[in-house]
């Protein structure tokens, strides 16, 4: 018996070795046929087992002779795109392949190539198997392709319009004031060291997305519910768990989003039984939030059937009305398994699970990404006082001392987007895009051809394609730059310098990236905001060179909404306040008060250097962010005119 098992194990081992070697040789042959440069690595970096165990294996590989390992080890780290940035592309070219036994990975930091991939959706679809985990409440706009995706897009897009962005701007300004009160105290004096700014910006965007996604207004400490709010709405705003729940609405949603990896990757029957605190919190939040979603859904179905309109923007209500609002055929329908259907006159409608699925992914897509953008914008402005002063000057020129409640969206939003506020937003997204590599794939049925500098190259069938946002955003082909003032680099494309966006691009006819291989799909209307990602008043990079929201038909549906949120928040904060790095580690307040300006500059320089190092420690789980305290950067929010550092430092 033992010998039989040993033989079986040996046979399996031999088969594994054979299949691994033959798979690697096959992929190397395909890479050679492509005509592109390539590197060979022993593992597919997106293999699930590798993602879980890579730290152990990298430690093992580090004992190999350097000549056998040092050239490939950096490329098997899951976050190498952020760690190495544009350096690999300077060495190997804007497009190269990474070949392993199990896969071919195409890395793109070339605007021309990126443009072709995003415009030819049928040839380069999303790898849907990677997005199935987002279907925990139902199929949705992110997890579908083809005709089904078009239906989801056409139904979900109407809520993302300028009329609703007016409401988003007002809500962002309102919630920013709540966050400011938390930071500056009841008297608004501020000058308190804040150690968990990312936690607060996550709460800020949670409040905004709750309001615009579900019509539920959440409160900051010390705020009271609106007297006009119904009893039912007040229940959702409360910090107490209502009957039938073990968590409040905000606590359930916040905990679910904070533990989302547990929920997405672990079967619920296993998650329920795991002996870890994080797993218990994740499961409890999932159960509570699923129940809240069901309750809100039933409430909005009732309102739709009665012909009631939600007050303000309410994406879930809009989705419900698209299926239940005025269709005679929906009055008694039962929840369907989760496919977009046809109404009585051929109009696409969403199933009940589709509605819940789309409502949830819009929270996921719009919560952490925007929170990180606000957080990193604040940190970069604290590190770069000159940019902060320019932004404050612009906010003052636009809004003066008028309270945010009176700010008019229509007359001010394009001025914000086309000036320093917009430049800060664009620059933050350039150097720290929320997703560092946007996944696509080559169709499995056949190779695909793209054109680079007039030459045709082959992308092998079935290859994974990564739109390298970090790399293309630092490619000197596409960006105005000057020698870096904070490093030894010959350009400052690794540095935060929003002033680069204030340079107008000259008209040059056809955009770089136009290759003659465009798809007719390019002009098809899939709904949603159809304007440019950047203002006409700012620098306009070549199409494909700036992709924080992706590009093409599958670009982010809520990109304009995200821009509006961030610009509203920044305007509220910097209208009356400045943000400075905390220097508590090097000097007390009394010691700072006795310093000369030169001494202040010296101590602030230490804080700047440390803050830059901490930003480089950002990692990705879902998005690029600083994940845990004490990895956060400490700052102080102070009244304008009471600054200790940013008024004297360039």
């Amino acid at each position: 018996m033992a010998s039989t098992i040993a033989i079986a194990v040996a046979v399996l081992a031999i088969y594994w070795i054979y299949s691994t070697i033959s798979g690697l040789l096959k992929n190397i042959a395909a890479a050679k046929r492509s005509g592109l440069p390539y590197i060979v690595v022993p593992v597919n970096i997106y293999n699930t087992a590798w993602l879980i165990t890579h730290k152990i294996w990298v430690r093992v590989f580090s004992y190999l002779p350097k000549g056998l390992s040092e050239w490939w080890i950096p490329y098997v780290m899951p976050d190498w795109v952020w760690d190495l940035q544009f350096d690999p592309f300077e060495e190997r070219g804007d497009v190269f392949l990474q070949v392993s036994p199990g896969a071919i990975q195409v890395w793109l930091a070339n605007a021309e190539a990126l443009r072709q991939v995003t415009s030819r959706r049928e040839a380069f679809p999303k790898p849907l198997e990677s997005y199935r985990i987002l279907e925990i409440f139902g199929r949705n706009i992110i997890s579908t392709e083809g005709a089904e995706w078009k239906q989801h897009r056409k139904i979900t897009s109407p809520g993302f319009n300028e009329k609703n962005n007016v409401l988003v701007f007002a809500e962002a300004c309102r919630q920013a004031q709540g966050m400011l009160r938390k930071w500056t105290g009841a008297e608004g004096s501020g000058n308190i060291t804040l150690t968990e700014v990312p936690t607060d910006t996550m709460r800020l965007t949670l409040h905004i997305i709750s309001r615009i996604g579900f019509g539920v207004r959440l409160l900051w400490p010390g705020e009271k519910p609106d007297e006009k709010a119904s009893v039912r709405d007040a229940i959702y705003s409360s910090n107490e768990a209502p009957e039938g729940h073990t968590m409040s609405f905000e606590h359930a949603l916040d905990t679910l989003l904070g533990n989302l990896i547990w929920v997405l990757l672990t079967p619920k029957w296993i998650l329920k039984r795991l002996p870890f605190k994080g797993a218990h919190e994740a499961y409890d939040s999932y159960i509570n939030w699923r129940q809240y979603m069901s309750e809100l859904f039933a409430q909005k179905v009732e309102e739709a059937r009665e012909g009631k309109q939600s007050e303000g923007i309410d994406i879930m209500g809009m989705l419900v009305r698209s299926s239940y609002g005025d269709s005679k055929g929906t009055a008694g329908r039962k929840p369907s398994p989760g496919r977009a259907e046809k109404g009585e006159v051929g109009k696409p409608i969403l199933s009940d699970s589709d509605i819940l699925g789309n409502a949830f992914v819009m929270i996921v897509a719009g919560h952490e990404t925007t929170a990180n953008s606000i957080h990193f914008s604040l940190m970069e402005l604290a590190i770069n006082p000159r940019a902060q002063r320019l932004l404050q000057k612009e906010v003052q020129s636009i809004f003066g001392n008028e309270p945010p409640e009176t700010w008019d969206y229509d007359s001010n939003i394009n001025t914000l987007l086309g000036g320093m506020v917009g430049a800060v937003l664009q620059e933050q997204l350039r150097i720290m895009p929320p997703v560092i590599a946007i996944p696509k794939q080559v169709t499995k049925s056949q190779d695909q051809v793209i054109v680079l500098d007039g030459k045709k190259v082959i992308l092998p069938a079935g290859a994974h394609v990564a739109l390298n946002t970090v790399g293309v955003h630092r490619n000197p082909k596409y960006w105005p730059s000057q020698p870096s003032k904070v490093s030894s680099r010959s350009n400052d494309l690794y540095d935060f310098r929003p002033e680069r966006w204030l340079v107008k691009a000259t008209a040059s006819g056809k955009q770089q990236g136009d290759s003659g291989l465009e798809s007719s799909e390019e002009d098809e209307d899939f709904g949603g905001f159809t304007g440019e990602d950047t203002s006409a008043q700012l620098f306009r990079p070549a199409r494909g060179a700036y992709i924080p929201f992706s590009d093409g038909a599958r670009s982010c549906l809520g990109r304009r909404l995200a821009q509006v949120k961030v610009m509203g928040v920044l305007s509220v904060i910097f209208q009356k306040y400045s943000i400075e790095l905390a220097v508590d580690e090097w000097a007390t307040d009394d010691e700072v008060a006795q310093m000369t300006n030169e001494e202040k500059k010296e101590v602030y320089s230490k804080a700047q250097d440390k803050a830059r190092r901490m930003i480089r420690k950002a990692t990705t789980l879902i998005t690029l962010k600083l994940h845990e305290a004490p990895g956060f950067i400490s700052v102080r929010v102070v009244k304008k005119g009471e600054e200790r550092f940013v008024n004297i430092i360039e």
Side-chain angles (χ1 to χ4, degrees):
M1 181 66 179
S3 61
T4 302
I5 294 175
I7 292 172
V9 171
V11 169
L12 288 174
I14 292 171
Y15 174 77
W16 179 81
I17 293 171
Y18 168 77
S19 61
T20 299
I21 294 174
S22 62
L24 180 60
L25 293 175
K26 177 184 175 182
N27 288 341
I28 290 175
K32 289 180 177 179
R33 191 174 69 251
S34 74
L36 292 166
Y38 66 92
I39 59 172
V40 179
V41 297
V43 293
N44 171 15
I45 66 168
Y46 293 129
N47 177 280
T48 302
W50 175 254
L51 290 172
I52 295 172
T53 63
H54 73 276
K55 291 183 179 179
I56 298 172
W57 288 108
V58 167
R59 195 174 298 120
V60 173
F61 292 148
S62 68
Y63 291 106
L64 294 172
K66 285 188 175 181
L68 296 177
S69 62
E70 64 179 354
W71 56 273
W72 59 261
I73 279 185
Y75 294 94
V76 296
M77 302 300 291
D79 274 349
W80 79 258
V81 171
W82 171 246
D83 295 336
L84 303 181
Q85 303 194 1
F86 188 67
D87 290 350
F89 297 95
E90 284 188 313
E91 178 184 352
R92 304 179 186 278
D94 295 350
V95 180
F96 68 87
L97 308 183
Q98 184 172 328
V99 180
S100 66
I104 298 175
Q105 182 78 43
V106 184
W107 296 102
L108 304 179
N110 178 284
E112 183 182 12
L114 284 161
R115 182 73 186 118
Q116 293 171 68
V117 169
T118 57
S119 65
R120 295 163 58 194
R121 191 168 57 85
E122 300 298 330
F124 301 99
K126 290 178 69 171
L128 292 184
E129 61 275 7
S130 302
Y131 292 89
R132 297 297 184 206
I133 58 175
L134 291 174
E135 295 182 351
I136 58 174
F137 293 107
R139 295 174 69 80
N140 54 74
I141 191 172
I142 294 179
S143 68
T144 53
E145 258 293 4
E148 186 181 3
W149 169 78
K150 289 183 180 181
Q151 290 185 334
H152 280 267
R153 174 87 179 200
K154 286 184 179 294
I155 294 171
T156 56
S157 62
F160 295 88
N161 56 55
E162 283 299 273
K163 180 180 177 182
N164 282 339
N165 284 338
V166 174
L167 304 174
V168 172
F169 183 72
E171 186 64 20
C173 292
R174 180 186 181 280
Q175 293 295 343
Q177 292 176 84
M179 184 173 69
L180 261 181
R181 283 191 290 270
K182 180 177 183 294
W183 286 352
T184 61
E187 302 299 323
S189 55
N191 204 23
I192 303 166
T193 297
L194 307 172
T195 59
E196 294 194 0
V197 172
T199 303
D200 291 329
T201 60
M202 291 285 274
R203 185 175 189 178
L204 168 75
T205 55
L206 179 71
H207 284 202
I208 298 171
I209 203 71
S210 175
R211 180 62 172 167
I212 67 178
F214 299 97
V216 174
R217 175 161 283 165
L218 301 178
L219 306 174
W220 289 90
E223 292 184 339
K224 296 181 180 180
D226 190 333
E227 294 180 356
K228 298 180 180 179
S230 67
V231 174
R232 186 161 52 182
D233 290 341
I235 289 175
Y236 294 125
S237 298
S238 173
N239 289 322
E240 301 295 326
E243 184 177 351
H245 291 269
T246 59
M247 293 178 170
S248 69
F249 181 94
E250 180 174 358
H251 185 205
L253 183 53
D254 181 52
T255 306
L256 176 62
L257 294 172
N259 295 278
L260 194 57
I261 293 297
W262 279 108
V263 177
L264 295 179
L265 298 181
T266 312
K268 304 308 173 289
W269 64 273
I270 295 178
L271 186 63
K272 182 179 180 180
R273 293 168 174 80
L274 287 176
F276 307 113
K277 180 181 178 182
H280 291 162
E281 290 179 345
Y283 182 76
D284 289 345
S285 64
Y286 167 75
I287 294 300
N288 274 271
W289 181 247
R290 183 177 65 181
Q291 188 174 342
Y292 278 122
M293 289 264 282
S294 297
E295 293 166 359
L296 281 166
F297 177 78
Q299 172 186 329
K300 294 179 189 305
V301 168
E302 178 184 341
E303 292 172 352
R305 285 174 171 164
E306 293 175 356
K308 295 181 179 178
Q309 291 287 328
S310 303
E311 181 181 344
I313 185 172
D314 174 3
I315 292 174
M316 188 181 195
M318 178 269 295
L319 295 176
V320 168
R321 288 192 299 275
S322 73
S323 292
Y324 286 88
D326 52 11
S327 175
K328 297 177 182 178
T330 61
R333 76 187 184 102
K334 298 179 180 179
S336 55
R339 296 274 179 175
E341 305 167 348
K342 292 288 184 179
E344 59 182 58
V345 292
K347 176 185 177 182
I349 61 174
L350 296 180
S351 70
D352 294 355
S353 63
D354 290 343
I355 293 172
L356 297 178
N358 278 293
F360 178 70
V361 298
M362 288 178 186
I363 292 177
V364 174
H367 172 241
E368 189 170 290
T369 52
T370 310
N372 294 340
S373 184
I374 294 169
H375 166 228
F376 286 122
S377 292
L378 295 175
M379 297 305 102
E380 291 290 1
L381 288 168
I383 296 170
N384 298 276
R386 181 177 183 277
Q388 182 177 165
R389 293 195 299 271
L390 290 174
L391 183 144
Q392 288 173 318
K393 181 179 179 181
E394 179 175 275
V395 171
Q396 185 67 31
S397 70
I398 295 172
F399 297 116
N401 295 319
E402 294 297 318
E405 293 84 358
T406 67
W407 294 356
D408 181 68
Y409 174 88
D410 292 326
S411 60
N412 293 313
I413 195 63
N414 288 329
T415 305
L416 289 171
L417 186 59
M420 191 62 184
V421 178
V424 165
L425 168 61
Q426 307 293 13
E427 181 72 349
Q428 184 280 315
L429 290 172
R430 185 190 68 81
I431 65 170
M432 294 196 76
V435 179
I436 61 176
I438 300 169
K440 301 286 185 179
Q441 67 181 25
V442 182
T443 51
K444 296 179 180 180
S445 58
Q446 65 182 62
D447 296 343
Q448 295 294 334
V449 176
I450 62 172
V451 176
L452 294 177
D453 298 324
K455 179 183 177 182
K456 292 184 178 181
V457 297
I458 298 172
L459 301 186
H464 303 289
V465 180
L467 314 184
N468 191 319
T469 54
V470 175
V472 76
H473 288 181
R474 287 163 173 76
N475 191 329
K477 287 182 181 178
Y478 311 119
W479 300 95
S481 67
Q482 59 189 29
S484 174
K485 295 180 179 179
V486 297
S487 73
S488 59
R489 292 184 178 274
S490 60
N491 64 59
D492 62 357
L493 296 179
Y494 287 63
D495 308 335
F496 178 84
R497 190 172 69 84
E499 295 90 331
R500 82 177 79 248
W501 291 87
L502 301 178
V503 179
K504 281 189 177 182
T506 58
S508 58
K510 206 174 184 182
Q511 288 267 13
Q512 184 169 358
D514 289 349
S515 64
L517 291 175
E518 304 296 334
S519 165
S520 60
E521 217 174 51
E522 188 67 16
D523 297 324
E524 187 171 348
D525 181 14
F526 295 107
F529 178 73
T530 57
E532 298 289 345
D533 290 343
T534 60
S535 169
Q537 305 305 312
L538 300 179
F539 169 71
R540 298 288 288 276
R543 190 74 181 268
Y546 183 63
I547 54 168
F549 302 107
S550 191
D551 198 7
R554 295 216 60 150
S555 60
C556 177
L557 182 61
R559 64 190 187 276
R560 175 73 166 186
L561 183 147
Q563 292 172 330
V564 167
K565 284 190 286 185
V566 176
M567 290 190 294
V569 172
L570 293 180
S571 297
V572 168
I573 293 173
F574 290 103
Q575 182 190 32
K576 294 183 178 180
Y577 291 91
S578 297
I579 187 165
E580 299 185 320
L581 297 172
V583 299
D584 307 37
E585 183 178 340
W586 301 279
T588 65
D589 288 355
D590 289 339
E591 289 172 335
V592 171
Q594 301 300 318
M595 288 181 178
T596 65
N597 283 352
E598 290 305 313
E599 290 171 331
K600 288 181 180 180
K601 290 177 181 179
E602 182 179 351
V603 74
Y604 202 75
S605 176
K606 295 177 181 179
Q608 289 172 306
D609 290 342
K610 182 177 181 180
R612 290 189 181 103
R613 290 195 302 271
M614 293 178 74
I615 287 176
R616 291 295 303 131
K617 293 180 180 179
T619 55
T620 59
L621 285 177
I622 296 176
T623 61
L624 183 65
K625 59 183 287 190
L626 297 179
H627 279 282
E628 294 291 340
F632 299 156
I633 300 168
S634 297
V635 297
R636 291 192 182 191
V637 173
V638 298
K639 285 184 176 180
K640 286 166 64 174
E642 298 180 6
E643 301 91 346
R644 302 185 300 173
F645 302 102
V646 297
N647 58 329
I648 61 171
I649 294 172
E650 288 297 314

